[in-house]
Amino acid sequence: PKPGEGIEVLQYGDGTADGKKSLGGNGHLILFDAGKADRWLTGVEVLGARYGMPQPPQENFHLYVTDAQGQVLQDLPLPYGTFARANPYWCQLPVAPVQVPKEFGIGLAFNPGQTKGVFVSTDKTEDSHSHTWLPGKGMTKLEGSDWLVRPTVQDEEPKGGLTEVPGG
């Protein structure tokens, strides 16, 4: 499908970072409005970068698709090596298509420490859609900024499967 054929990239702010955070003992959640129910989430980009040891840890982080209350609809584990050690960049996360409600969230849990983690960039805003959050722990509003996360949604169920995971 071509842009304008029911495909939309959702984003808050101007897409440029004003800061970055890694959350020990917590995770990142940002809520979106897909415009209507039963659209398909087909991609997620995160402005961020891995830190720590040159070799990524042999473990997964978790990309969660949630409802508007932060209840997990889908858990998509991805290898830490999906993110490069670099200056923050728009990292395309490979996601299997997931049908989402009109209001949904993208959650990220990296289980960071001093030797591993991912800095997720933030953009200053008056009206934050972002929270600190982990499954089952509740949501706390992130005041004054939004996580820089861009989901792609589309009207039709995509044909084909999961995109190849880099470094996976």
Side-chain angles (χ1 to χ4, degrees):
K2 298 183 182 72
E5 290 183 14
I7 297 178
E8 189 177 357
V9 176
L10 307 175
Q11 174 180 305
Y12 298 114
D14 62 8
T16 57
D18 295 318
K20 63 185 180 183
K21 290 184 179 5
S22 172
L23 300 172
N26 222 325
H28 313 74
L29 178 70
I30 182 166
L31 302 176
F32 292 95
D33 185 334
K36 60 185 176 186
D38 300 326
R39 293 185 90 184
W40 291 86
L41 174 72
T42 58
V44 175
E45 289 178 290
V46 176
L47 186 60
R50 187 170 57 79
Y51 67 85
M53 300 297 180
Q55 198 65 21
Q58 294 300 307
E59 65 183 86
N60 291 332
F61 68 92
H62 293 267
L63 170 84
Y64 296 101
V65 180
T66 74
D67 66 14
Q69 289 73 46
Q71 297 300 308
V72 175
L73 303 174
Q74 191 89 35
D75 175 2
L76 305 168
L78 295 169
Y80 241 97
T82 303
F83 279 91
R85 271 185 53 193
N87 288 323
Y89 68 102
W90 283 104
C91 181
Q92 178 73 48
L93 304 182
V95 298
V98 178
Q99 203 161 21
V100 294
K102 181 179 183 297
E103 294 177 349
F104 71 99
I106 298 294
L108 297 162
F110 296 104
N111 189 26
Q114 291 199 334
T115 60
K116 67 173 172 100
V118 172
F119 283 116
V120 176
S121 295
T122 57
D123 195 3
K124 287 188 178 125
T125 182
E126 295 292 315
D127 183 26
S128 176
H129 304 85
S130 296
H131 304 265
T132 57
W133 163 95
L134 278 175
K137 286 185 78 176
M139 303 174 0
T140 303
K141 187 94 158 176
L142 184 69
E143 296 294 342
S145 58
D146 269 322
W147 303 121
L148 282 167
V149 174
R150 296 192 296 217
T152 301
V153 293
Q154 66 186 58
D155 294 342
E156 301 294 318
E157 182 176 3
K159 305 300 176 234
L162 179 66
T163 33
E164 188 60 33
V165 179

